[in-house]
Amino acid sequence: MDLTSETTVYVMAALAAMCVALLVWLWPRLARQGLWQVLGRLAAVGVTQVTIIAAFACWLNSSYQFFGSWGELFGNVDTAPVGVTQAAAHNGDGTVTGVSVKGALVQPAGDGQLSRVSGLPTGPAAVNGRVESVKVIGRRTGVVDPAFVYLPPQYFQKAYHRQRFPVIVALSGYPGSIFNLAQYLRVSQTAGELQKSGQMQPTVMVMIRPTIAPPRDTECVNVPGGPQAETFLAKDLPDALKPTYRVGHDASSWGVMGYSSGGSCALQLTMRNPHVYTTAGALSPDYEVRDDPTTGNLFGSGLGRVNRINGHDLMWRLKHLPVPQVSVLVADSKHGERGYLQTLAFIKAVKAPMRAVSILPDHGSHNFPTWVREMPATLKWMNQQLTFPQDVVPRHHHKPGHASVRASGAEPSETATKHR
């Protein structure tokens, strides 16, 4: 049974119910005085409570996809195969023949999670677009991370058959999952609606989680002697996507966004790697990275520890390092979220050539209803900053195939120096 399957949830719920029934039935026998009876009562109550908690945890995980498999739950993460990137055979509409190419950095993945997402495009891809389930393999890091890729209708239309498209990478929070991005944040659904209404240019949306070594929270940091999260997201991910999809190769057509710790990652990646991402959208982010029980020691020890900590403190970077030429959007609620004052301080610290805008509603919480409300304005603003790629696929080029599988928001306000 898969960890996230409904069967697992039903089995655990049935087991919990059976334990409760057994406890009620056996309690008169265990109510007698004596050491063994006391121990029996403790054991019966303990087992019953554990099964009830386990059933609830399975239901919660099935709903929010914190862990995608039993291996992830126990810390066993898939490792990447060794090989050179190869092209898969493809059909005229850009779909692969269904064969996974060994060594390719983007591989087809099962659609178990994707099939549970509501509101995804159906029908002809050239009319409604398509969302694909893939796994991205890090050539440098050896990371294997699941992803959903939304391709707009124009991607499949003959008029655009040589055109490259801008990209927005959407990151989940911690522990998070791509299911949360698709089902609860509604990344592809919102992008599709905006593009269909002409409020957003055709854009490829890549939904991926920054938690590359679950259950550890790596906060998009290259951990000394540990997971290289920043390298995966700033180097491996673009290097895997560019030869697989018709996406822009210049940083001006690449943006990254996220919610909660995913928003923190978006800011970190953009400010630390402006040659990769030039635009960031951060919903309820933090502005520095700290060690905590979920992260462990992110910065190592020795003389370089302080420099590594400062390097991931965005306020420190704005004060002590050259400001990158990037555009960022930050969103936080005045009432209901704890990061509002830090967000105001960050906006005030931004200076040219960096540009910052904000979404600052009076009320909101650190949850999906708030972020969904902020999504349309965030995507529209980000899309306006991205350059539609001018380069096209050469006529003789055969694009590598890809894996074929089956709220109103407030407008952002500019609050820092504009760079022209």
Side-chain angles (χ1 to χ4, degrees):
M1 294 183 296
D2 292 336
L3 178 61
T4 59
S5 69
E6 292 184 355
T7 301
T8 301
V9 176
Y10 292 146
V11 168
M12 292 304 301
L15 182 62
M18 185 171 62
C19 286
V20 171
L22 286 173
L23 178 64
V24 173
W25 182 58
L26 292 174
W27 194 256
R29 301 182 184 182
L30 298 174
R32 302 169 187 170
Q33 298 299 319
L35 176 61
W36 291 110
Q37 283 76 15
V38 172
L39 293 176
R41 290 197 294 271
L42 291 174
V45 171
V47 169
T48 302
Q49 289 181 336
V50 167
T51 56
I52 292 173
I53 293 173
F56 176 76
C58 284
W59 169 80
L60 194 65
N61 185 68
S62 179
S63 298
Y64 293 96
Q65 303 284 313
F66 296 123
F67 299 97
S69 67
W70 294 103
E72 284 188 8
L73 180 63
F74 294 107
N76 299 320
V77 183
D78 193 9
T79 57
V82 177
V84 180
T85 304
Q86 300 178 25
H90 61 92
N91 303 319
D93 64 351
T95 62
V96 296
T97 56
V99 179
S100 173
V101 179
K102 185 177 182 181
L105 298 181
V106 177
Q107 297 271 342
D111 65 345
Q113 294 187 63
L114 192 60
S115 62
R116 299 173 57 195
V117 178
S118 60
L120 294 182
T122 58
V127 176
N128 300 315
R130 185 167 69 206
V131 178
E132 301 184 340
S133 177
V134 300
K135 58 182 178 180
V136 179
I137 300 168
R139 181 169 58 84
R140 298 172 182 82
T141 59
V143 169
V144 178
D145 211 17
F148 293 153
V149 180
Y150 166 76
L151 302 170
Q154 291 82 353
Y155 192 92
F156 304 95
Q157 295 171 5
K158 289 183 178 180
Y160 291 82
H161 75 282
R162 293 177 57 214
Q163 179 65 56
R164 299 186 188 276
F165 293 82
V167 183
I168 294 179
V169 175
L171 303 175
S172 65
Y174 174 82
S177 71
I178 56 176
F179 180 81
N180 290 354
L181 290 166
Q183 175 68 10
Y184 299 109
L185 196 60
R186 298 183 58 79
V187 170
S188 58
Q189 297 91 322
T190 304
E193 292 167 0
L194 291 174
Q195 293 175 36
K196 188 169 291 187
S197 63
Q199 300 180 71
M200 183 176 173
Q201 63 185 343
T203 302
V204 172
M205 305 293 300
V206 180
M207 293 160 270
I208 198 164
R209 61 181 187 179
T211 307
I212 65 168
R216 186 177 187 180
D217 179 12
T218 52
E219 291 285 334
C220 295
V221 170
N222 280 345
V223 181
Q228 303 294 289
E230 183 175 16
T231 296
F232 175 75
L233 292 167
K235 294 182 179 180
D236 284 344
L237 179 62
D239 285 356
L241 294 173
K242 287 175 182 179
T244 306
Y245 295 96
R246 297 198 318 275
V247 295
H249 285 202
D250 190 81
S252 63
S253 59
W254 282 71
V256 57
M257 65 158 294
Y259 64 88
S260 190
S261 62
S264 307
C265 284
L267 291 176
Q268 294 275 345
L269 289 168
T270 302
M271 292 181 64
R272 289 173 56 86
N273 303 274
H275 58 289
V276 180
Y277 300 104
T278 55
T279 303
L283 312 181
S284 307
D286 291 320
Y287 301 95
E288 62 179 317
V289 177
R290 300 176 180 175
D291 290 343
D292 63 33
T294 65
T295 66
N297 183 356
L298 292 175
F299 303 105
S301 56
L303 297 177
R305 176 177 170 81
V306 173
N307 289 336
R308 287 189 287 270
I309 292 175
N310 288 338
H312 286 277
D313 183 336
L314 300 185
M315 297 296 290
W316 185 92
R317 293 184 69 90
L318 288 172
K319 184 176 181 180
H320 295 93
L321 297 179
V323 177
Q325 186 172 330
V326 296
S327 299
V328 301
L329 177 149
V330 289
D332 232 316
S333 302
K334 185 175 182 179
H335 301 289
E337 295 194 79
R338 295 180 296 178
Y340 182 75
L341 294 180
Q342 290 89 337
T343 293
L344 293 182
F346 174 80
I347 294 169
K348 186 177 180 180
V350 170
K351 54 191 175 184
M354 186 172 169
R355 179 189 177 202
V357 301
S358 62
I359 298 176
L360 302 172
D362 286 336
H363 298 278
S365 299
H366 200 80
N367 58 24
F368 284 109
T370 297
W371 300 325
V372 167
R373 182 167 166 257
E374 296 165 346
M375 272 291 289
T378 300
L379 288 180
K380 284 191 291 184
W381 179 84
M382 289 186 67
N383 199 241
Q384 291 168 3
Q385 314 315 307
L386 299 178
T387 301
F388 203 92
Q390 297 302 308
D391 56 328
V392 296
V393 178
R395 292 185 184 278
H396 64 275
H397 176 78
H398 291 284
K399 179 184 66 65
H402 49 268
S404 174
V405 297
R406 183 211 80 100
S408 65
E411 291 295 334
S413 59
E414 293 201 19
T415 52
T417 306
K418 238 188 204 184
H419 175 72
R420 295 187 182 275

